[in-house]
Amino acid sequence: MTQVWLRVHGAATGGGRPLETTGVPSSPSPRLRRQEELNPNGAASDNAITASTDLAFRVALTDSGDFQEFNVVVTLTIQKSPKSIVLHKKIDVINAGETKTVTFTNIDINGLFGLPTTVKVDIEPVPGEKTTTNNSSEYKVIFSLGG
């Protein structure tokens, strides 16, 4: 119960939680619905995605800090001209050390077939987070029609 009281009311010193131990993502890693993990170092052809009516991206993230976090926003962006596809999901609560998954569905990828593009995942920094270099990942992909 003491931890909950400190989280809600701040530390007795008035300093709140230590900034250096706050954090959420541990390199967000998207997977396709069929559990194919995207390779962040691969070429678009390495991350070929066959389009289907149930196309979805699952993004797993881990709270790598020492504190429970609230309202963590995850953004999936698929580059597309003239306007990128941008989708947002929110994790209401995630505990320290816990991994949670958000799933992005109903993605309209018309106009992207056969063209290399980039899928990007961003996690908004949580209050007090100092290290944000692991809050974003990019993946070169290519969408194709089933054949």
Side-chain angles (χ1 to χ4, degrees), residues 1-2 10 12 14 19 22 41-42 48 50 54 66 77 89 93 96-97 100 105 123 131 133-134 138-140 145-146:
M1 187 62 152
T2 303
L19 298 178
T22 301
N41 300 316
T50 302
D54 65 347
D66 295 330
T77 303
K89 292 282 185 168
V93 178
K100 289 223 175 169
T105 58
I123 315 300
T131 303
T133 56
N134 61 347
E138 286 190 9
Y139 306 85
K140 302 242 182 270
L145 296 171

Side-chain angles (χ1 to χ4, degrees), residues 40-54:
N41 300 316
S45 59
D46 296 332
N47 291 320
I49 300 170
T50 302
S52 68
T53 56
D54 65 347

Side-chain angles (χ1 to χ4, degrees), residues 29-147:
S29 55
R31 293 178 179 262
L32 299 175
R33 180 164 278 176
R34 294 179 308 277
Q35 297 301 313
E36 298 170 23
E37 190 164 350
L38 296 179
N39 178 356
N41 300 316
S45 59
D46 296 332
N47 291 320
I49 300 170
T50 302
S52 68
T53 56
D54 65 347
L55 175 67
F57 287 91
R58 290 187 178 129
V59 178
L61 59 120
T62 302
D63 182 343
S64 60
D66 295 330
F67 299 95
Q68 184 179 62
E69 300 296 346
F70 299 92
N71 302 317
V72 178
V73 177
V74 182
T75 301
L76 177 80
T77 303
I78 301 173
Q79 290 181 352
K80 181 179 177 182
S81 181
K83 185 177 179 185
S84 293
I85 300 166
V86 180
L87 304 168
H88 305 279
K89 292 282 185 168
K90 182 175 70 169
I91 295 176
D92 293 327
V93 178
I94 186 169
N95 295 311
E98 183 179 19
T99 298
K100 289 223 175 169
T101 302
V102 295
T103 303
F104 294 91
T105 58
N106 300 318
I107 304 168
D108 180 9
I109 57 168
N110 285 322
L112 289 175
F113 298 110
L115 302 173
T117 191
T118 301
V119 172
K120 185 175 180 188
V121 178
D122 293 297
I123 315 300
E124 277 188 19
V126 296
E129 184 174 6
K130 283 181 124 178
T131 303
T132 58
T133 56
N134 61 347
N135 287 30
S136 183
S137 294
E138 286 190 9
Y139 306 85
K140 302 242 182 270
V141 302
I142 190 164
F143 293 98
S144 64
L145 296 171

